[in-house]
Amino acid sequence: MNVQGYQKLTLLDFPGVVACTVFTGGCNLRCPFCHNAGLVLTPHEADSMEPEVLEYLGRRKGLLEGVCITGGEPLLQPDLEAFVQKVKALGYRVKLDTNGSLPDRLQAILDTGLIDYVAMDVKSSPNGYRKATGASIDPTVFEKSIRLLQNSGIAHEFRTTAVKGIHTVEDFTEIGKWLASDSPYFIQTFVNSQNLIGSGCDAFSEDETQALLEAVQPYLPLAKLRGQS
């Protein structure tokens, strides 16, 4: 698998689990606020770090509990399932991060029974998706992934990085209506990594962010605020 790098220890990326985070290269979206521009636009073509990651995980058994696979967009990787099988064989739980643009691939990996937790980024309201993603993918594609997770029986969460210049309070009201469920939902604070794909992005103030939360809570009672992981 095209592994671009890994974070040896995280207490944030996999809720309740001491984990390692693995970064894959390439993405089919161009979100202007993406803080991993290098992984999206210019993933390196050097040999994959997969053997190094697996060797590290082998040494850390008993200390680490899980592996978070993120990107980029991991579902673009044709050998994702094979990599996950190797990780599971070492005794780890696996969390998958996805943008939800590949529902058929998501269904296939969930059907294997290998995935323990999924986090899907909900980039905006249906009408705001093009602006938020820089892509012209029909929002019903993302809705298919949303419904798939909501009906999967697999632990999952939805999350939106709130970006001033991209989102409005009305967007979050519509996100709430779109997701409307008891699924966990998090509004993440935008942090400018200085390595963004686009420009014109800023963070909402604390009061503004609270207003975004209040806009979704009538529809998503488990909604919370969270700093960007």
Side-chain angles (χ1 to χ4, degrees):
M1 188 172 75
N2 184 355
V3 176
Q4 299 277 303
Y6 64 107
Q7 182 178 347
K8 292 183 176 181
L9 176 67
T10 176
L11 302 177
L12 299 174
D13 291 345
F14 196 155
V17 177
V18 180
C20 166
T21 299
V22 175
F23 298 91
T24 63
C27 187
N28 55 345
L29 304 183
R30 294 294 182 268
C31 306
F33 53 91
C34 177
H35 64 287
N36 284 330
L39 291 176
V40 173
L41 301 176
T42 57
H44 60 73
E45 298 180 2
D47 291 341
S48 172
M49 298 176 69
E50 179 180 324
E52 179 181 337
V53 171
L54 292 173
E55 190 274 335
Y56 171 75
L57 293 174
R59 287 190 285 109
R60 302 297 286 179
K61 284 195 296 185
L63 298 173
L64 294 175
E65 303 167 316
V67 176
C68 173
I69 304 175
T70 189
E73 173 48 57
L75 290 173
L76 291 172
Q77 302 295 323
D79 45 1
L80 173 63
E81 181 180 338
F83 177 75
V84 174
Q85 288 175 333
K86 295 171 188 176
V87 172
K88 295 292 284 189
L90 292 170
Y92 289 99
R93 299 175 64 192
V94 174
K95 171 179 177 268
L96 174 69
D97 288 351
T98 181
N99 62 32
S101 64
L102 301 164
D104 292 341
R105 296 292 305 276
L106 178 59
Q107 178 74 73
I109 194 72
L110 294 184
D111 285 346
T112 67
L114 296 169
I115 303 299
D116 299 287
Y117 193 97
V118 179
M120 177 178 161
D121 290 305
V122 177
K123 301 295 185 179
S124 188
S125 63
N127 288 336
Y129 245 81
R130 185 161 189 168
K131 181 178 183 180
T133 64
S136 56
I137 301 174
D138 189 326
T140 60
V141 171
F142 300 96
E143 182 170 3
K144 185 175 179 181
S145 291
I146 290 169
R147 304 304 172 222
L148 170 59
L149 288 175
Q150 288 177 331
N151 295 314
S152 68
I154 295 172
H156 64 275
E157 68 179 54
F158 300 105
R159 59 196 188 185
T160 304
T161 299
V163 187
K164 200 169 188 177
I166 301 293
H167 300 112
T168 65
V169 173
E170 290 74 22
D171 283 318
F172 280 85
T173 299
E174 293 306 313
I175 289 171
K177 293 177 181 178
W178 200 24
L179 298 182
S181 68
D182 289 330
S183 295
Y185 174 75
F186 297 93
I187 298 176
Q188 299 184 154
T189 302
F190 168 71
V191 177
N192 191 337
S193 67
Q194 306 301 322
N195 185 33
L196 305 180
I197 288 179
S199 59
C201 301
D202 203 354
F204 286 98
S205 70
E206 289 186 15
D207 287 346
E208 289 170 331
T209 304
Q210 183 63 37
L212 302 181
L213 178 63
E214 291 171 2
V216 302
Q217 282 179 325
Y219 313 98
L220 295 166
L222 299 183
K224 295 180 181 179
L225 301 180
R226 180 165 67 188
Q228 189 180 57
S229 58

